[in-house]
Amino acid sequence: MPFPPLVAPASALPDGESERAARQIRLPEIGEDGQRRLSAARVCVIGAGGLGSPTLLYLASAGIGTICIVDDDVVDTSNLQRQVLFGVADVGRLKGHVASERIRALSPHTTVVREHERLTAGNAERILAGFDLVIDGSDTFDTRYAVADACDALGVPLVWGSVLRFDAQATVFWSRPPHGEPVRLRDVFPTAPPAEDVPTCADAGVLGALCGQVGALLAAEAVKLICGIGDPIVGRMLVIDALSARTREVPLVPASVTAPASVTAHAPRAVARTIAPEDLDRLDDLLLLDVREDDEFRAGSIPGAVSIPLGRLRADPSIVVVDRPVVVFCQIGPRARAAASALRAVAPDAEILLLDGGYQAWSAGASADHA
């Protein structure tokens, strides 16, 4: 659904900007009027990491007038695989400083604001006040919820993305849209899961090119909202599976709207049952399903387990014949829960259990038994 432009146009473009942005201005949906709106826009980006790096580059190249970078981290060698703002020579430097240099090199008229502090629930509203739009590229749930709550209170749109392994999500949350129902982060994810249940990029890995794809998408959404063009992803979530090169769309239901009975009646049952590693021997004729990656399986698994990595299972859950109890496990637990949900969707009455603590817990117990 189109929205009116978020930002009023600047009175004029800076000298040389018409030439620098000529190919964008040529787009009739943007034109000089839209470019002047971009020049007047104030955008805050949370995090200069995997998502923030490409987002910041494309915001600068688009000609955003003021960009705020909220990041208190330094560049690490392990960042370089996906954080395209940085090079080897930047290792050890503050990300905000390096990002500022890159932005000014792309768009010399852009004003860069740096916030070298960790955004928290206590300082979020102060940091985000005065910006037209916020883009969240952070990587912790505490920060994500602090950003979302502050945006809700301030009434500004939150362009939101998430990437892990080969999977990504993107949407726009907005507590006070010009029309339509507001949809907030807490409408979709009411509370954050326990930190120990969610793998980090360091634990699970991430495809660098997917960070670039989603970061560019977030920047494009910001341009659309600022200029009032196209159909922003408000009220719907884009879900990207990079392994299968498929994108699907999930409608988001605001908290004020009750889901139809037909939806809740056919929703898969929650997978709540777990089994302790020491209790595996008590089950007869079970299927042990290892949903870790092939290299993890080759490095060691539970004897008798079948290897079907999570990405392959999600692409086609029917490849698992669920004709007996299935015990699903990964290294710790999060991937197993996702796999169990996928299996439950195609086999709602099956007996599907999660191995408590995953392979890590089983391996620790096996080592203790042989000590």
Side-chain angles (χ1 to χ4, degrees), residues 173-184:
F173 296 115
W174 203 346
S175 63
R176 301 176 207 164
H179 48 74
E181 290 282 348
V183 181
R184 308 168 183 86

Side-chain angles (χ1 to χ4, degrees), residues 141-199:
F141 281 102
D142 286 346
T143 303
R144 286 181 174 273
Y145 279 84
V147 171
D149 291 343
C151 287
D152 291 347
L154 295 168
V156 299
L158 171 61
V159 182
W160 183 94
S162 174
V163 177
L164 186 68
R165 293 177 48 75
F166 299 96
D167 303 305
Q169 299 172 316
T171 189
V172 175
F173 296 115
W174 203 346
S175 63
R176 301 176 207 164
H179 48 74
E181 290 282 348
V183 181
R184 308 168 183 86
L185 173 69
R186 290 189 184 274
D187 293 336
V188 183
F189 307 110
T191 58
E196 63 272 15
D197 285 355
V198 183

Side-chain angles (χ1 to χ4, degrees), residues 42-64:
R42 295 173 53 82
V43 176
C44 185
V45 178
I46 314 300
L51 288 179
S53 285
T55 300
L56 287 165
L57 288 172
Y58 278 107
L59 290 175
S61 65
I64 298 297

Side-chain angles (χ1 to χ4, degrees), residues 344-358:
R344 181 71 72 192
V346 297
D349 297 319
E351 185 176 1
I352 300 171
L353 302 99
L354 297 170
L355 182 62
D356 192 16

